[in-house]
Amino acid sequence: MARQKKALGSFTSYGDTFESAMEDFLKVSQKHFKSWQRNPELAKHLRDSLALTKEHARALSPAILKKLCEAILETRLLYDGLIEEYKKQPEEGKAKVMYGAILTGYGQEAIGAGVAMAMRQEDWIARDHRGASAAILRGTPVLQFFLNHFFKATGPTGGHDPNIHFCDLARNDWGFRASDMAMGAALINGAVAYKNLEKELRNGAALTGEERIGGVAISGDGAASNGVFLAAMNFAKARSLHVIHNNQISLGTSALEQHGNIALSNRAFGFEMPGFTVDGDDALEMYLAAHWLFTFARLSNHPALIDAITFRRHGHNESESTDYVKEVFDPEFLAKMMSSEADP
């Protein structure tokens, strides 16, 4: 509630943070990025998009806050239910009712919910395996997740996959493919380019920035170190928003061991696109940052990147022990990230 009161009482804290980061980025872009030097409209679009987000935040609808909270709560209840069923011991002589790995984003629900809240219904998303909250906010029934995990023929994969690996094309959800390691970040570029061409042909005219269909790809911090993700960033010369779901540990490898604990938002600079780090456990900051950069991507026809910082409270999947994190992380840092204060 403290975070909601901060945003409702004043947008200054969020706006000042975004504006400061934006000006730092623009100094770099105007000095080093040839594409931004050739096209000064990009800087104008970035500033204009932030101004639109500030205006939107000042009149923030209680319905938006309610929808964010509901999606986060529904996702948490989904995770609680799946974990409870997975850990149940079968009765003697009976088979276990749930198999496979249970992959949750427990305590990380604000990222998917915040990003999805910033999207329009016609936009497309390729979510990661921690991003159930994005699908739920966009209307995928929680029941679909249970049916899939229980191998039900009536589930989204027809009983072929007891996991999070499914899409919901009726809601423009490209889904998460089995251990795709950022493949969604690559596929979203082609999907959005095709959908915009299709809309142009239907309208009989080139689309304005306001009319363009946008795309969002959410990838984990481990996936973001994969060559597929970097290739996707190279291809992302379109109206797409790339989000790194940075829970600071990939399988059992910490951010420090993986890449030296650098700011992953800086990777955007190599592709001359805006990149910013945000608090992924703050649903409002996540939503407003996504609103700003998605507006920019749509108006400028240029990609952007968000590095959303959170923490993986449970194992890579729910069957593994998390004792190893005590050896990987500093005790004080671990206590802070596992506290209720860091819980969205």
Side-chain angles (χ1 to χ4, degrees):
M1 288 303 292
R3 286 168 175 160
Q4 291 182 15
K5 288 176 182 176
K6 179 173 71 171
L8 287 172
S10 171
F11 180 65
T12 303
S13 54
Y14 291 109
D16 287 350
T17 300
F18 292 165
E19 191 147 8
S20 175
M22 178 183 70
E23 293 302 330
D24 287 343
F25 167 80
L26 289 175
K27 287 176 186 176
V28 174
S29 67
Q30 289 160 5
K31 185 176 181 180
H32 299 288
F33 296 172
K34 289 185 178 180
S35 62
W36 286 66
Q37 293 166 1
R38 289 193 302 265
N39 186 3
E41 284 292 301
L42 290 174
K44 181 179 183 301
H45 284 311
L46 194 61
R47 288 193 172 101
D48 289 349
S49 299
L50 180 55
L52 288 171
T53 297
K54 285 184 177 182
E55 184 180 344
H56 169 71
R58 291 189 190 101
L60 200 61
S61 165
I64 289 176
L65 299 175
K66 181 173 181 287
K67 193 169 183 178
L68 274 172
C69 289
E70 286 177 344
I72 290 170
L73 180 58
E74 281 187 61
T75 308
R76 181 64 62 85
L77 292 173
L78 164 67
Y79 291 155
D80 284 337
L82 289 175
I83 293 168
E84 181 182 352
E85 290 297 324
Y86 183 72
K87 292 185 175 180
K88 276 184 179 178
Q89 295 300 315
E91 296 179 22
E92 189 174 349
K94 291 187 177 181
K96 189 175 173 67
V97 296
M98 188 180 287
Y99 292 91
I102 307 300
L103 301 163
T104 74
Y106 206 97
Q108 306 162 56
E109 301 90 351
I111 294 175
V115 169
M117 193 73 240
M119 297 172 66
R120 297 174 181 172
Q121 205 59 43
E122 69 173 348
D123 295 331
W124 283 77
I125 185 169
R127 53 184 166 80
D128 70 336
H129 54 300
R130 313 288 180 198
S133 58
I136 289 170
L137 189 139
R138 285 179 64 78
T140 300
V142 173
L143 179 61
Q144 292 291 87
F145 289 89
F146 280 108
L147 291 173
N148 212 53
H149 279 83
F150 279 99
F151 271 118
K152 298 299 182 181
T154 50
T157 63
H160 292 286
D161 187 294
N163 212 295
I164 197 81
H165 307 126
F166 69 88
C167 58
D168 187 349
L169 298 181
R171 295 174 177 84
N172 295 3
D173 181 352
W174 201 249
F176 173 73
R177 277 141 188 78
S179 300
D180 65 353
M181 292 301 289
M183 188 58 70
L187 293 174
I188 199 67
N189 297 317
V192 171
Y194 171 78
K195 285 297 177 181
N196 275 285
L197 178 59
E198 186 180 58
K199 188 175 182 180
E200 279 189 356
L201 293 173
R202 189 167 61 246
N203 291 359
L207 301 178
T208 65
E210 185 63 24
E211 293 172 331
R212 289 181 187 128
I213 297 170
V216 172
I218 305 178
S219 306
D221 54 302
S225 293
N226 185 290
V228 175
F229 179 83
L230 299 176
M233 295 276 280
N234 188 50
F235 281 116
K237 296 302 178 186
R239 71 299 295 163
S240 54
L241 175 61
H242 289 263
V243 179
I244 299 177
H245 185 127
N246 189 352
N247 63 20
Q248 306 184 67
I249 189 164
S250 177
L251 292 175
T253 306
S254 71
L256 181 63
E257 295 168 312
Q258 182 192 157
H259 49 66
N261 210 19
I262 64 172
L264 296 183
S265 55
N266 288 343
R267 288 183 176 170
F269 289 9
F271 303 91
E272 299 195 359
M273 67 173 72
F276 302 100
T277 299
V278 303
D279 181 357
D281 290 331
D282 186 330
L284 281 172
E285 182 171 340
M286 194 68 231
Y287 164 58
L288 293 170
H291 183 281
W292 167 33
L293 293 174
F294 211 10
T295 300
F296 163 77
R298 197 189 306 276
L299 293 178
S300 65
N301 200 24
H302 195 282
L305 173 76
I306 292 176
D307 176 23
I309 306 295
T310 181
F311 191 74
R312 201 185 75 198
R313 292 166 173 260
H314 292 193
H316 176 72
N317 62 67
E318 294 296 335
S319 65
E320 70 176 30
S321 167
T322 57
D323 287 344
Y324 62 85
V325 299
K326 298 173 185 176
E327 301 173 9
V328 173
F329 293 102
D330 174 77
E332 187 176 341
F333 171 81
L334 189 60
K336 176 185 175 184
M337 298 307 295
M338 295 286 279
S339 69
S340 59
E341 182 61 27
D343 191 329

